[in-house]
Amino acid sequence: MATTVRRAVLTLPAAPLGQENPLPGLRTLDRVQVPADRAKQGMPRDMARQMGYEPLRTFLPVRTLDGYGRERTETDFDAVVIENDRLRVTVLPGLGGRIQSLHHKPTGRELVYRNPVLQPADFALNGAWFSGGIEWNIGASGHTTLTCAPLHAAVVPAPDGGEMVRLWEWERLRDLPFQIDLWLPADSDFLYVGVRIRNPHERPVPTYWWSNTAVEENERTRVLAPADEAWYFGYEKSLGRVPVPHSDGADRTYPTRSDFPADYFYEVPEESRKWIAALDGAGEGLVQTSTDRLRGRKLFLWGSGHGGRRWQEWLTEPGTPGYAEIQAGLARTQLEHIPLEPETSFSWLEAYGPLSADAESVHGDDWAAARTTAEDALEAALPRAAVDAAYTAWLAHADHEPGEILAEGSGWGALEVLRGGFKLPGTPFPETTLTEQQEPWLELLKGGSLPAPRRVVPPGPSLVAPHWRDMLETAPAEPLTEYHLGIAQWHAGDLAQAVRSWERGLQLAPSRWPLLRCLALADCEAGHRERAADLYAEAFADLCEERRDGEDWTAATAALGREAIEALLATGRQDQARTVWEGLRPATRATGRFRLLEVQLLVAEGDREAARAVFDEGFEVADLREGATDVGEVWATVTDEPVPGVYDFRRREDGS
């Protein structure tokens, strides 16, 4: 059959994402540890150089997504299905362009781990993330802020005369437009994925990309890649070179033979074909390969210990198979960013499809033979030269303008194109996509000042790129302008000037709590805990006087209330923390995160019996950060009993 592209609806049990957190994400990012200079000794020069290349201070201008829960209901998601007589590919353009399913028709096999539910968890740089399928990570080290965001999607002509699906957006952490073209030739067992990241600016920009594929694992699943060494990054948060496949007494190419979660970044020789595969006991499974630009390959495993299994259950539901991830990236490791020169682009082609190789050799003790067997099978199924030829053919179509629109992304790209006058063939960002969020910034761009809000609402999103910061600095110094200017200065690392901007804005601000909160967080980051607690208490009281009904106000009250209670408890002010608690909406107090805060408040008040009762009633903290031990640590303040399994999220029994 000819390749077809059609719209569809995918129904899954899903927890709603909830409202965006209206408080700007000012806290310094701590999710990626950059090795110390001494740890870089012995690294390849490019790797060591790229380790410390312009890491982000915050994930601004993106907002935090932490308003989800864990109650799942049957939910419809718009999907795009690409299909020929060999493969059926299901794509979710409204959720970062995730490939949710890659179904091989002749064998009836699902080639990727297909999560039966959609459960957000705090794994992305800005919060909400979900597991399964194939995800596209762009921006900075970690899961992309676009994980749960809509992308633009359209049908475009494919190199073979058929149709392919284009996904595109404006990545806001680095201010870069990108596109992903999904091309499934007729009669092909392989899905081609053409990716292009463009830098339209007059300065180099740090660039990051990793394609992450979840694959179902069992005791016989083996991950193969063309490498004899890997860079290991585990719970110790240190990077070190280890041999492949055996390390620390076990064959680490079998994900279940590790006890704890870990990353293995394979040291793939420059001249080698770039590929990675996950094969089962019969020697069958999924292979990913690419042109040489996508040089990195990685295995992420949860391990067979209690912590890994507990986290996997948290991301899906008990009784489902475990998964590992095979990944491909622009650099050797995910701790690196690569400079993309002005007015240039990075582009490459990936291919995903089934692989069948001799099981005895694949699972034999001879690693070189196992690798060679898998690579020979890949060459027979999809020659390296065919991938290079497909890339050349695709690149000639990368500028083709979209036809039928399948989905719409954000309006931020349209705003940036208007500002910069960029010409981006193939990835249009029309003004029709501009929304209420972009309106104030469009007025700043055209008229030189931010408009006063038409109604009493929490402030809208801030922009922090240098060009927007420059415009804010020359705009009239109104309180709202000073608020946004301070946020841009804070993101740039100009902390003292940010505080001065917020203090200036506070003098005439009709709405004081947003500025007070920024000043409170600045004091927290500087270690001035007592002053921060004062400011948080004042900010929350001001918000309560001003707030109205509506989801935005509920989200603002919850976000500021949480920060205020934590700051007040940290300084021993449980009476003021109780006052904030009482000012929260009842529905907010009933959520898991605030039940945990209630336990901490009760412990501070000396009522451990009531605190234990909250635990006994049971709750789930939906927005636990990856690897978090918060719940167990609070449990230990209530009782000396072992942490119940339902509250135990430690990756290791030593508490880490």
Side-chain angles (χ1 to χ4, degrees):
M1 63 178 284
T3 300
T4 61
V5 175
R6 59 183 170 87
R7 300 171 190 262
V9 174
L10 178 69
T11 303
L12 288 175
L17 286 172
Q19 289 290 106
E20 288 183 335
N21 186 328
L23 305 186
L26 300 175
R27 294 190 185 278
T28 304
L29 282 175
D30 62 354
R31 298 198 177 194
V32 177
Q33 289 75 27
V34 177
D37 288 342
R38 64 179 180 277
K40 296 179 183 178
Q41 296 177 6
M43 289 183 185
R45 289 182 180 178
D46 61 334
M47 179 176 168
R49 183 174 60 251
Q50 291 163 182
M51 283 280 177
Y53 177 48
E54 294 195 24
L56 288 176
R57 175 179 170 78
T58 75
F59 57 78
L60 288 165
V62 180
R63 284 183 152 186
T64 306
L65 281 175
D66 59 3
Y68 50 87
R70 291 191 56 81
E71 292 186 8
R72 298 190 286 264
T73 58
E74 293 294 313
T75 306
D76 291 341
F77 295 95
D78 290 333
V80 174
V81 176
I82 313 167
E83 188 170 10
N84 64 10
D85 60 353
R86 311 291 294 176
L87 285 178
R88 183 168 60 248
V89 186
T90 304
V91 187
L92 301 176
L95 292 166
R98 182 77 59 101
I99 293 180
Q100 192 263 350
S101 170
L102 191 64
H103 180 79
H104 188 234
K105 294 181 177 181
T107 60
R109 291 174 61 95
E110 181 59 61
L111 298 180
V112 300
Y113 169 70
R114 185 175 182 176
N115 197 334
V117 304
L118 196 154
Q119 177 55 61
D122 189 8
F123 280 48
L125 284 167
N126 65 325
W129 172 89
F130 63 100
S131 65
I134 305 174
E135 62 174 301
W136 320 109
N137 290 298
I138 181 174
S141 297
H143 292 286
T144 178
T145 61
L146 292 166
T147 289
C148 295
L151 304 188
H152 300 278
V155 177
V156 294
D160 61 354
E163 295 179 331
M164 63 183 176
V165 172
R166 174 163 300 159
L167 305 165
W168 74 98
E169 244 304 350
W170 194 279
E171 199 289 309
R172 301 178 65 209
L173 297 184
R174 301 298 194 182
D175 262 334
L176 297 177
F178 70 96
Q179 71 189 77
I180 305 165
D181 287 355
L182 305 175
W183 170 29
L184 181 58
D187 303 322
S188 174
D189 277 312
F190 284 83
L191 171 70
Y192 292 142
V193 181
V195 182
R196 178 168 61 173
I197 306 172
R198 290 191 272 201
N199 178 9
H201 306 293
E202 297 177 350
R203 65 184 190 281
V205 177
T207 311
Y208 175 93
W209 182 280
W210 281 80
S211 303
N212 292 9
T213 305
V215 290
E216 192 171 308
E217 65 167 16
N218 56 49
E219 292 182 354
R220 292 289 287 163
T221 301
R222 193 176 204 187
V223 173
L224 301 105
D228 293 315
E229 291 184 307
W231 296 93
Y232 164 81
F233 190 72
Y235 69 93
E236 313 93 336
K237 301 301 181 187
S238 61
L239 193 68
R241 197 191 297 249
V242 297
V244 176
H246 289 89
S247 172
D248 239 359
D251 187 335
R252 305 300 179 179
T253 60
Y254 290 90
T256 60
R257 295 186 187 178
S258 292
D259 293 329
F260 312 114
D263 298 327
Y264 291 90
F265 299 101
Y266 294 112
E267 184 65 45
V268 179
E270 187 173 348
E271 69 280 1
S272 295
R273 182 175 185 178
K274 308 303 184 287
W275 63 274
I276 189 168
L279 304 181
D280 63 14
E284 298 182 344
L286 172 78
V287 65
Q288 187 273 358
T289 186
S290 71
T291 49
D292 288 352
R293 168 67 72 182
L294 206 66
R295 64 170 301 175
R297 292 299 184 274
K298 172 193 164 184
L299 163 65
F300 166 75
L301 53 86
W302 282 107
S304 58
H306 166 78
R309 289 306 311 163
R310 181 73 180 98
W311 277 103
Q312 292 209 60
E313 290 175 357
W314 187 252
L315 296 170
T316 175
E317 57 186 10
T320 54
Y323 75 92
E325 288 185 359
I326 56 174
Q327 307 180 10
L330 280 175
R332 286 181 175 86
T333 73
Q334 289 167 339
L335 306 182
E336 301 169 67
H337 299 94
I338 298 176
L340 179 55
E341 295 303 318
E343 300 178 347
T344 61
S345 66
F346 285 149
S347 60
W348 62 90
L349 187 90
E350 306 179 44
Y352 295 81
L355 188 68
S356 181
D358 179 71
E360 185 176 352
S361 179
V362 162
H363 293 283
D365 293 333
D366 187 333
W367 171 244
R371 268 180 23 209
T372 300
T373 297
E375 188 159 355
D376 288 348
L378 170 60
E379 186 65 20
L382 184 65
R384 186 177 188 177
V387 174
D388 291 337
Y391 169 67
T392 300
W394 165 74
L395 203 57
H397 285 67
D399 283 350
H400 282 199
E401 292 302 322
E404 179 190 358
I405 300 298
L406 301 171
E408 201 170 82
S410 77
W412 296 112
L415 181 66
E416 292 298 336
V417 167
L418 281 171
R419 183 204 64 80
F422 302 125
K423 304 299 181 184
L424 301 169
T427 55
F429 293 94
E431 291 185 42
T432 54
T433 60
L434 293 167
T435 68
E436 185 179 0
Q437 285 196 333
Q438 289 86 44
E439 282 180 7
W441 300 97
L442 186 61
E443 191 162 330
L444 174 65
L445 176 64
K446 292 182 175 180
S449 63
L450 283 174
R454 291 191 293 268
R455 62 186 189 279
V456 179
V457 291
S462 299
L463 295 182
V464 298
H467 42 265
W468 292 107
R469 189 171 72 244
D470 291 345
M471 280 185 259
L472 289 167
E473 287 176 345
T474 57
E478 300 294 334
L480 183 60
T481 303
E482 297 288 5
Y483 165 80
H484 287 299
L485 175 58
I487 292 168
Q489 291 164 334
W490 180 269
H491 174 73
D494 193 351
L495 311 188
Q497 190 57 55
V499 169
R500 284 193 287 271
S501 295
W502 293 326
E503 288 175 342
R504 282 197 306 270
L506 195 59
Q507 294 173 13
L508 297 175
S511 180
R512 293 170 53 82
W513 66 265
L515 291 151
L516 288 167
R517 180 265 176 177
C518 290
L519 291 168
L521 193 142
D523 274 334
C524 272
E525 293 265 311
H528 305 309
R529 299 195 306 166
E530 294 289 345
R531 194 166 62 197
D534 289 338
L535 290 167
Y536 267 123
E538 185 180 354
F540 190 79
D542 186 71
L543 181 148
C544 289
E545 289 181 8
E546 184 178 285
R547 69 184 176 188
R548 311 288 196 268
D549 292 331
E551 292 182 342
D552 287 344
W553 285 107
T554 298
T557 304
L560 183 56
R562 173 180 170 180
E563 290 185 12
I565 290 172
E566 290 172 345
L568 291 164
L569 288 179
T571 53
R573 304 188 195 184
Q574 51 267 30
D575 291 344
Q576 288 179 283
R578 175 61 67 181
T579 299
V580 174
W581 173 264
E582 297 296 339
L584 297 169
R585 313 279 196 192
T588 298
R589 294 200 297 262
T591 62
R593 170 58 64 183
F594 285 88
R595 294 288 277 167
L596 184 65
L597 267 180
E598 183 183 14
V599 172
Q600 294 172 271
L601 180 55
L602 289 166
V603 169
E605 293 170 336
D607 194 347
R608 282 182 167 75
E609 184 177 343
R612 176 60 186 265
V614 175
F615 269 117
D616 291 343
E617 288 172 17
F619 59 86
E620 291 184 313
V621 182
D623 61 332
L624 283 177
R625 180 175 294 192
E626 179 183 4
T629 56
D630 311 32
V631 183
E633 290 168 2
V634 175
W635 171 270
T637 68
V638 176
T639 175
D640 293 331
E641 296 176 21
V643 181
V646 69
Y647 295 127
D648 189 0
F649 289 87
R650 295 172 298 172
R651 291 183 172 190
R652 298 170 55 89
E653 292 183 1
D654 62 8
S656 59

